[in-house]
DNA sequence: CTGTTAGCGCATTCAG
DNA sequence: CTGAATGCGCTAACAG
């Protein structure tokens, strides 16, 4: 009647005993590697014993000994933001293939949380990190880097005097937003507006900068039509759009910093009795799944987050494998203008 | 010109040396706990030295020694499914408060992957697991449980003869779907349809069962109006709805197994030149953010995934703390019918 | 080809 | 109140 008593998990020593060999032999056959060759008969016996006892490697012990944890960390602001699940999924798939686990951290884009996370990451002894830093700078990654933990950053980094070996992957938001505004939002010399998040988010500032440049080129007054809702969410978009609608003159086109905000803006516009795109052209950014399902379907910019995640993970593993050495790489990934009915 | 040479990370021994004390003392002050009291002056000195060297605890070593990894695992089918990010986020927030990291696994609801994941979880030596099993049964969790790793399952489990100590948390899909169909989809003795996933997903079968029961009660023919698209995604919903539309007679109401499928169905209905809800009443399940933003806004069932995640995490930590002992608990969480314009 | 040995960083006896 | 010694499970020399 042993019942639910906690059973100590089997170790290599247990397997060795069961197979009548030494623990070293067990380690060798389990790792396959090593320069030692093992007799086939012995190997079979060990494997059988391991399987029999339900042996599973103790990651902590292995990690302590080898310095490799077989875990990679991902830092994102908020998994609830529809852009990131696909990004995470892309990473996860690659990591999975390589036998790596994924430790996930949400930072909310807040610096204190980002810093705490960085320490957790060190504590966990992960082998590599993929980060979407919002407030962090390159310098903050220095400790990790110095300890030999490769880091891949998603987004454009503020260059600093010393550039550590740090890979980054990014999409040219500035160019994409510029195209979008010029070709889809602009309707001659009419006011166009933008709804954006609170603006402390480096990664997305390219979007706002592109909008500003457009205004300058057209000689349009700046700031007048820029509404910064608090959160980069649907609620934020709704609030910001209502603010825009309350001002005069009414914008004839609106660019939202992301699709969620655009969706919120859409609701606000509809509630105001105006139509998209007839009264106001509206476009977003990200091409989240539902952008296509909105009514009208949303014109936006696709960034292929899953592919971004996969590529980021590949870059990380190239560092872990030692396939790629030396200077940090900056990889630009393509975007695509998705023209639908809203603009 | 040391540059980017890999620096060994500081250990407690290094801190001890810097502070002029023994490693034992460092361990004591860093853990705060212990029955040993340390002189204030010494404590200060140690803390200063640790901070100075940028000391961060080595989780692997601690884990090996104490058996606790300060990590919990979450098993979900697919983070890309909009229900799960909020679920994960709820867990993450609680875990964060407790100083625990979250190791995330996507299983795609496929048994082989689920099993592989279970082994990874053992290898990682996580302290606890929150799982959304699709094909796994209680027995599969036995090894983990026997090793003293608490497990909280989201969803209803098939009871087996032996019920190990395993907590579960679930929403009564069967009741919720029943209400939805009876009060919102039904329009007298007219055909009503359902679009659902491929059906090997235990957790969601309550939705289909409720639909079936309704047909039986009304004496309506079964199967005729049930279309099972492959994936429980927007694409699956679209395909399944087109299939339904191709049959005769046309359904006057359609229940989708989840919101993503409902959104896809909406597109198919619109493309067929029919209107929701005038021609066809449509309802989904989950109340993902975009359900409200659809046109027309989607009638659905809210399950509050973030709250579910938080509660699941709390249950897990009650086990980890030893606050709750003994029998596995089954906690039912509330749902809410969200009536909007689509049905 | 297989066994012995040492030590990764830490928490925890047990002595001083 | 502090220090020295031990071992968690594993891998990697090194011997045999």
């Amino acid at each position: 009647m042993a019942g639910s008593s906690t059973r100590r998990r089997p170790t290599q020593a247990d397997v060795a005993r069961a197979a009548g060999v030494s623990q070293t032999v067990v380690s060798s056959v389990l790792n396959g590697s090593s320069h030692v060759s093992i007799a086939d008969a012995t190997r079979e016996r060990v494997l059988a014993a391991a399987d029999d006892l339900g042996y599973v490697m103790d990651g902590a012990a292995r990690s302590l000994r080898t310095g490799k944890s077989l875990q990679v960390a991902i830092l994102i602001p908020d998994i609830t933001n529809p852009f990131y699940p696909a990004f995470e999924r892309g990473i996860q798939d690659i990591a999975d293939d390589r036998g790596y686990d994924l430790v996930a951290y949400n930072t909310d884009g807040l610096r204190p949380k980002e810093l705490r996370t960085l320490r957790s990451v060190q504590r966990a002894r992960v082998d590599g990190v993929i980060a979407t830093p919002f407030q962090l700078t390159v310098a903050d990654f220095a400790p990790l880097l110095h300890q030999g933990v490769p880091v891949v950053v998603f987004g454009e980094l503020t260059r600093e005097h010393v550039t550590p070996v740090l890979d980054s992957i990014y999409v040219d938001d500035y160019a994409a937003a510029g195209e979008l505004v010029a070709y889809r939002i602009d309707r001659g010399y009419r006011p166009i507006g933008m709804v954006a998040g609170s603006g402390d988010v480096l990664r997305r500032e390219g979007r706002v900068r592109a909008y500003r440049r457009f205004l300058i080129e057209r000689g349009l007054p700046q700031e007048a039509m820029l509404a910064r809702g608090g959160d980069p969410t649907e609620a934020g978009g709704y609030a910001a759009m209502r603010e825009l609608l309350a001002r005069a003159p009414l914008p004839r086109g609106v660019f939202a910093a992301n699709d969620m905000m655009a969706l919120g803006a859409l609701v606000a516009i509809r509630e105001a009795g105006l139509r998209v795109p007839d009264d106001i052209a509206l476009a977003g950014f990200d091409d989240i799944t539902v952008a296509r399902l909105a009514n009208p379907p949303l014109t936006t910019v696709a960034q292929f987050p899953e592919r971004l995640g996969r590529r980021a993970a590949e870059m990380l593993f190239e560092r872990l494998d030692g396939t790629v050495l030396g200077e940090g790489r900056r990889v630009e990934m393509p975007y695509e203008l998705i023209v639908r009915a809203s603009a």
Side-chain angles (χ1 to χ4, degrees), chain A:
Chain A
M1 299 281 154
S4 60
S5 70
T6 299
R7 207 151 42 206
R8 193 178 61 79
R9 62 190 261 176
T11 70
Q12 290 190 351
D14 297 322
V15 176
R17 207 169 306 119
V21 296
S22 86
Q23 183 254 339
T24 307
V25 175
V26 176
S27 177
S28 302
V29 348
L30 259 31
N31 289 312
S33 65
S34 209
H35 33 68
V36 206
S37 14
I38 306 279
D40 275 357
T42 314
R43 159 177 282 95
E44 296 303 329
R45 208 142 35 84
V46 169
L47 257 19
D51 195 65
D52 203 52
L53 297 181
Y55 172 80
V56 178
M57 165 95 68
D58 186 322
R62 178 182 220 276
S63 174
L64 182 57
R65 185 61 237 243
T66 65
K68 313 269 84 187
S69 63
L70 298 184
Q71 298 191 329
V72 295
I74 169 179
L75 271 64
I76 58 177
D78 181 12
I79 191 68
T80 269
N81 175 332
F83 176 86
Y84 295 102
F87 183 64
E88 174 171 329
R89 188 59 210 250
I91 295 169
Q92 178 105 237
D93 285 343
I94 299 288
D96 222 50
D97 287 348
R98 315 288 301 248
Y100 274 73
D101 295 337
L102 199 95
V103 190
Y105 299 89
N106 284 196
T107 65
D108 287 320
L110 271 23
R111 186 167 165 84
K113 264 193 157 183
E114 288 185 317
L115 288 173
R116 264 203 307 136
T117 300
L118 243 29
R119 312 195 80 232
S120 293
V121 158
Q122 278 189 260
R123 183 178 52 125
R125 245 181 180 293
V126 299
D127 299 334
V129 175
I130 295 176
T132 306
F134 268 40
Q135 323 255 14
L136 295 177
T137 68
V138 198
D140 295 312
F141 290 101
L144 235 22
L145 263 8
H146 283 317
Q147 286 161 201
V149 179
V151 175
V152 175
V153 159
F154 172 47
E156 301 196 63
L157 289 168
T158 56
R159 283 177 189 274
E160 277 150 53
H161 32 296
V162 176
T163 303
V165 176
L166 186 158
D167 293 330
S168 66
I169 179 172
Y170 64 96
V171 173
D172 191 345
D173 280 22
Y174 183 69
E179 273 188 50
L180 191 60
V181 169
Y183 299 146
R184 294 277 118 200
I185 304 290
D186 182 34
R187 297 183 170 182
Y189 290 74
R190 303 295 203 64
I192 66 171
M194 174 161 190
V195 300
S198 34
D200 43 19
V201 174
L202 260 182
R203 190 168 81 69
R204 292 219 194 81
E205 275 309 287
R207 271 109 109 152
V208 175
R209 276 179 23 238
Y211 166 72
R212 285 223 169 89
R213 187 195 53 178
F214 180 85
L215 296 186
I216 293 171
E217 284 175 356
R218 287 291 194 282
L220 263 19
Q222 289 188 61
E223 298 302 333
M225 284 284 134
L226 174 60
R228 309 200 85 127
D231 292 335
T233 62
E234 182 266 332
Y238 178 83
M241 189 66 220
R242 283 184 50 107
E243 207 185 301
L244 236 45
L245 255 14
R247 300 180 195 165
L250 236 41
R252 295 304 310 275
V254 170
F255 171 42
N258 68 52
D259 286 344
M260 286 307 281
M261 297 196 83
L263 258 15
L266 188 58
V267 173
I269 294 172
R270 197 186 296 148
E271 283 181 7
L274 298 168
R275 289 159 310 158
V276 171
D278 309 273
D279 298 314
I280 300 182
L282 178 69
F285 209 108
D286 284 348
D287 192 33
I288 62 180
T289 310
V290 297
R292 188 168 48 81
L293 302 176
N295 190 4
L298 208 58
T299 290
T300 185
V301 174
Q303 299 186 79
F304 314 108
E306 185 151 353
R307 193 200 292 176
L308 282 168
R310 299 180 73 89
R311 189 75 191 90
E314 284 164 0
M315 290 171 74
L316 187 69
F317 281 113
E318 284 163 3
R319 293 290 184 181
L320 286 176
D321 295 343
T323 310
V324 171
L325 301 166
E327 291 293 289
R329 297 171 286 172
R330 300 171 61 81
V331 173
E332 178 171 332
M333 296 288 283
Y335 61 85
E336 191 182 319
L337 222 66
I338 309 287
V339 177
R340 288 195 276 247
S342 77

